[in-house]
Amino acid sequence: MASDKGILIVLSGFSGSGKGTVVKHLLAKYPQDFALSVSATTRSPREGEEEGVSYFFRSREQFEQMIAQGELLEYAEYVGNYYGTPLSYVREKLAAGQNVILEIETQGAMKVKAEHPDTLLLFMTPPDAGELIRRLKNRGTEDDATITARMKQAAEETRVMDAYDYIVVNDDVDACAQKILSIIQCEKSSAKRNPELIEKFRLGLQDILKGE
């Protein structure tokens, strides 16, 4: 029997690859299988945001205490506020059998993988570079300079793509979500994620052979 524990998934990808859209699709279609990591932050709640749903809202003192006590999977400071991923939330969801998705950039992904080797790294791309720039232009929200900057960033990100476990091409949202689901199912049957099952067989066979 494959492991029934959830897998921590770090999802990275080029700006314009459709990460957010695919994640929303996964959460809507497979709510029992996937959970999106909820971050802690020191910024004030905005209208409509809920504690434990949008963010875990903490004071700066509380957040720095979490850092000191090693309670965060990763964290960063941005525009005067801290943002980070509470380990307790991730562990709770994983123990319940849900696969936790952490959508972060490549540098953060490498840090998480270094500290938590069991993390599954997925990198999402469009079918090709031409499609990437087409998607960025079709957004209609960024000027040419910003699009060029994003393309340069994408070029830098290609340098670490081979450090990821899987490359997932997003040509169709539903098909992409299905690919990710298939990867998770295969991973749960991998030998490295089932040491207890392997040890059970070893001990069981030893007992049988002793009885001969």
Side-chain angles (χ1 to χ4, degrees), residues 189-208:
S189 294
S190 67
K192 68 181 180 181
R193 295 187 186 273
N194 288 276
E196 297 87 355
L197 179 62
I198 294 170
E199 186 64 13
K200 180 181 177 181
F201 269 99
R202 285 176 178 159
L203 295 175
L205 289 168
Q206 286 175 9
D207 289 343
I208 291 170

Side-chain angles (χ1 to χ4, degrees), residues 41-54:
T41 184
T42 56
R43 76 160 173 77
S44 301
R46 294 170 182 161
E47 186 176 350
E49 291 183 332
E50 297 179 44
E51 166 71 16
V53 177
S54 307

Side-chain angles (χ1 to χ4, degrees), residues 112-157:
V112 172
K113 183 74 170 181
E115 295 184 17
H116 303 274
D118 283 346
T119 303
L120 180 67
L121 300 185
L122 304 181
F123 193 95
M124 187 174 294
T125 76
D128 53 51
E131 175 64 12
L132 176 61
I133 194 168
R134 188 189 69 79
R135 291 183 186 181
L136 289 172
K137 288 181 176 179
N138 284 351
R139 282 177 172 177
T141 58
E142 297 162 334
D143 58 24
D144 289 343
T146 302
I147 290 173
T148 298
R150 292 199 182 280
M151 293 298 288
K152 288 181 178 178
Q153 177 63 31
E156 287 298 313
E157 289 169 340

Side-chain angles (χ1 to χ4, degrees), residues 63-107:
F63 198 103
E64 290 179 345
Q65 186 175 20
M66 292 172 74
I67 295 173
Q69 295 177 350
E71 297 176 3
L72 294 168
L73 181 67
E74 54 83 34
Y75 72 93
E77 189 170 8
Y78 179 72
V79 194
N81 284 301
Y82 281 121
Y83 294 84
T85 304
L87 266 172
S88 58
Y89 175 85
V90 171
R91 287 171 174 163
E92 175 189 333
K93 295 298 182 182
L94 293 176
Q98 287 189 292
N99 306 298
V100 180
I101 301 174
L102 184 58
E103 188 183 328
I104 56 176
E105 43 70 44
T106 55
Q107 186 176 1

